[in-house]
Amino acid sequence: MIAEFDKLLKDKFNIEFNDESLLDEAFTQASYVNEHPKENLKFYERIEFLGDAVYELVVSEYIFKRYPKLPQGRLTRLRAAMVNEHSFSSFARECHFDKYIRLGKGEEKAHARERDSLLCDIFESFIGAVYLDQGMEPVIRFCHQVIFPKLDEGWFDEFFDHKTELQELAQQNGPVDIEYHLLDENGPDNDRKFKVSVSIDGEECGIGTGHSKKNAEQGAAKVALKKYL
Amino acid sequence: MIAEFDKLLKDKFNIEFNDESLLDEAFTQASYVNEHPKENLKFYERIEFLGDAVYELVVSEYIFKRYPKLPQGRLTRLRAAMVNEHSFSSFARECHFDKYIRLGKGEEKAHARERDSLLCDIFESFIGAVYLDQGMEPVIRFCHQVIFPKLDEGWFDEFFDHKTELQELAQQNGPVDIEYHLLDENGPDNDRKFKVSVSIDGEECGIGTGHSKKNAEQGAAKVALKKYL
């Protein structure tokens, strides 16, 4: 792998490979291998297979421990949000992985480098390569640096229906009464703002705002959910 | 958890829990928790969520390393065969886990203890509990004892179409010529036996027998596949 990439991994993530060939394999697509038949290269797919399972465990354990009251259904949905093509390809771009993929000429011309599905694969194969080279610890460190802070930044919120989640969670020990109240509504017609509160059994436990009542309700439910986490 | 189960885990799998409450949680269904509201019990679902990811990684890493030439597609199919409800419930029964699940009275009457889906959950939650209590090493040991030998016993063969696998694998570096030849056919009509060979580019690389030509071909392909593993 080229020195520039080694430097990026070291400077940004404090990762130095013992076996550079694993990193090469993780960033090489089959099209490149086919164009260089004499070099006896490997492409990323097998390492990606392993990386997929490694990442899933790291994410699972993190959210399991971070949210000790979260029931299985919500854990599963949160994991699905953190383990999907859209997330992976964003992470890969953020880490500049797209620059260092080795592609065949045809794939390069077809802009494969920008393709979400390829970036998703490469993100997983990177995880797999780190794991094979150095075990679980640096993978966990990488996730703490790149992935887990995104939970607090609301990155995975779009995947959630907070109102449904709140209802499920609040009612897991029997029926409760969840009510949303419109507290305020103001601004011009093209920029209207709504403010909504949510109460559980009469006790207010969250306030949200938004450009629609629905958005404001989702915001209120999100605040209330934090009390249950 | 009852002493008999502790003894079974120690004698059979050399596993002794530091934190028994994890084992309790892993073997307790929600129905039991609901019937004992004052005991502040937990049920298995969260631990199962974690155990699922733990087991998937252990299996992935094992087959990744054991079959260094197996392409991703076959690794994925093999993993799917080893990580499914049918397999899990069999493993759970084999380990006598079904005896030690704590169920509510209604679920007991409804024969939940014999239900594949519950046994599948409990197998995963057991894995999760061992991992939480003692980390990865004893989980790997358990799998080497209970699961991995089944690969050699042909346990997961029914999930495979060996002929398709052989074709995919043999052709991954370019087209080859795969041919099946009927070598022999004998026995009475109601117990006919077939013997088939498979050759790749003219070289014989497997012989199989069966009560149908199709079965004999699958057997021959399976033998040939071993040469590629």
Side-chain angles (χ1 to χ4, degrees):
Chain A
M1 192 50 65
I2 56 174
E4 184 187 303
F5 189 41
D6 283 341
K7 187 166 155 39
L8 177 131
L9 291 179
K10 180 161 180 1
D11 291 351
K12 204 167 168 175
F13 306 117
N14 197 24
I15 292 174
E16 280 184 278
F17 271 77
N18 301 308
D19 179 357
E20 284 270 327
S21 74
L22 289 168
L23 192 56
D24 288 340
E25 184 175 340
F27 279 76
T28 302
Q29 206 207 26
S31 62
Y32 186 89
V33 175
N34 293 336
E35 282 185 10
H36 301 77
K38 286 180 192 160
E39 292 179 36
N40 200 18
L41 298 169
K42 292 178 178 176
F43 51 91
Y44 69 72
E45 293 196 346
R46 275 177 47 91
I47 293 197
E48 178 212 345
F49 165 86
L50 185 62
D52 164 78
V54 171
Y55 180 73
E56 182 150 328
L57 176 57
V58 172
V59 167
S60 300
E61 185 164 4
Y62 179 74
I63 61 177
F64 177 89
K65 290 184 172 166
R66 173 163 174 176
Y67 304 118
K69 291 178 187 171
L70 212 59
Q72 185 194 36
R74 286 199 75 209
L75 285 172
T76 303
R77 283 199 287 278
L78 181 55
R79 179 169 69 189
M82 298 174 77
V83 182
N84 74 50
E85 191 171 298
H86 175 74
S87 302
F88 284 163
S89 54
S90 303
F91 304 155
R93 280 194 190 91
E94 181 186 325
C95 301
H96 304 293
F97 288 173
D98 50 332
K99 283 192 201 170
Y100 302 102
I101 306 169
R102 300 199 292 185
L103 293 170
K105 284 169 193 159
E107 281 289 277
E108 192 72 83
K109 265 190 190 164
H111 303 286
R113 196 177 293 281
E114 297 154 29
R115 210 182 286 149
D116 276 1
S117 58
L118 176 63
L119 290 169
C120 168
D121 290 352
I122 293 295
F123 179 79
E124 290 183 298
S125 62
F126 172 73
I127 298 280
V130 175
Y131 177 75
L132 281 172
D133 193 60
Q134 297 174 41
M136 205 51 129
E137 199 279 318
V139 176
I140 294 173
R141 197 158 32 80
F142 173 80
C143 289
H144 272 282
Q145 187 181 342
V146 176
I147 318 292
F148 300 149
K150 293 185 166 55
L151 268 168
D152 297 312
E153 293 163 17
W155 243 68
F156 308 109
D157 284 2
E158 61 178 296
F159 296 92
F160 292 106
D161 172 1
H162 299 302
K163 285 179 68 177
T164 305
E165 309 271 0
L166 182 61
Q167 196 171 333
E168 282 177 17
L169 198 55
Q171 298 190 337
Q172 65 178 335
N173 296 319
V176 295
D177 191 25
I178 302 178
E179 282 182 351
Y180 293 86
H181 296 285
L182 184 64
L183 300 179
D184 195 17
E185 184 182 343
N186 58 51
D189 270 3
N190 64 349
D191 190 27
R192 203 104 184 114
K193 276 203 175 169
F194 298 83
K195 188 173 177 182
V196 166
S197 74
V198 60
S199 64
I200 300 180
D201 282 343
E203 190 192 338
E204 186 181 291
C205 47
I207 288 178
T209 56
H211 287 289
S212 70
K213 235 164 82 174
K214 201 180 145 194
N215 280 348
E217 287 175 0
Q218 287 287 346
K222 189 182 166 187
V223 172
L225 274 168
K226 290 210 169 158
K227 300 197 174 176
Y228 280 94
L229 291 182
Chain B
M1 192 50 65
I2 56 175
E4 183 185 304
F5 189 40
D6 284 340
K7 187 166 154 39
L8 177 131
L9 292 180
K10 179 157 180 5
D11 292 351
K12 203 166 169 174
F13 307 116
N14 197 25
I15 292 174
E16 279 184 278
F17 271 78
N18 301 308
D19 180 357
E20 284 271 326
S21 74
L22 289 168
L23 192 58
D24 288 340
E25 184 174 340
F27 279 76
T28 302
Q29 205 206 28
S31 62
Y32 185 90
V33 175
N34 294 336
E35 281 184 11
H36 301 78
K38 286 180 191 160
E39 292 179 36
N40 200 19
L41 299 169
K42 292 177 178 176
F43 51 92
Y44 68 73
E45 292 196 346
R46 276 176 46 89
I47 293 198
E48 178 211 346
F49 164 86
L50 186 62
D52 164 78
V54 171
Y55 181 72
E56 182 149 328
L57 176 56
V58 172
V59 167
S60 300
E61 185 164 5
Y62 178 74
I63 61 177
F64 177 89
K65 290 184 171 165
R66 173 161 174 178
Y67 305 118
K69 291 179 187 171
L70 212 59
Q72 185 192 37
R74 285 199 76 207
L75 285 171
T76 303
R77 284 198 286 278
L78 181 54
R79 179 168 70 188
M82 297 174 77
V83 182
N84 74 49
E85 191 172 296
H86 175 74
S87 302
F88 284 163
S89 55
S90 301
F91 304 155
R93 280 194 191 91
E94 181 186 325
C95 300
H96 304 292
F97 288 172
D98 49 332
K99 282 192 202 171
Y100 302 102
I101 306 169
R102 298 198 293 186
L103 294 169
K105 284 169 194 159
E107 282 288 277
E108 193 70 82
K109 265 190 189 164
H111 304 286
R113 195 177 293 280
E114 297 154 30
R115 210 182 286 149
D116 277 0
S117 58
L118 176 63
L119 290 169
C120 169
D121 290 352
I122 293 294
F123 178 79
E124 290 183 298
S125 62
F126 171 73
I127 297 282
V130 175
Y131 177 75
L132 280 172
D133 194 59
Q134 297 173 41
M136 205 51 128
E137 200 278 319
V139 176
I140 295 173
R141 199 159 30 82
F142 173 81
C143 290
H144 272 282
Q145 187 180 343
V146 176
I147 318 294
F148 300 149
K150 293 185 167 54
L151 269 167
D152 297 312
E153 294 164 16
W155 243 69
F156 308 110
D157 283 2
E158 61 177 297
F159 296 92
F160 292 107
D161 172 0
H162 299 301
K163 284 179 69 177
T164 306
E165 309 274 359
L166 181 62
Q167 195 171 334
E168 282 177 16
L169 197 55
Q171 298 191 336
Q172 65 178 336
N173 295 319
V176 295
D177 190 24
I178 302 179
E179 283 182 349
Y180 293 86
H181 296 284
L182 183 63
L183 300 179
D184 195 18
E185 184 182 342
N186 58 51
D189 270 3
N190 63 349
D191 190 28
R192 203 104 183 115
K193 276 202 174 168
F194 299 83
K195 188 174 178 182
V196 166
S197 73
V198 60
S199 64
I200 300 180
D201 282 342
E203 190 191 337
E204 185 180 290
C205 47
I207 289 177
T209 57
H211 286 290
S212 71
K213 235 164 83 175
K214 201 180 144 195
N215 280 349
E217 286 175 0
Q218 287 288 346
K222 190 182 167 188
V223 172
L225 273 168
K226 290 209 169 160
K227 300 197 176 176
Y228 281 93
L229 291 182

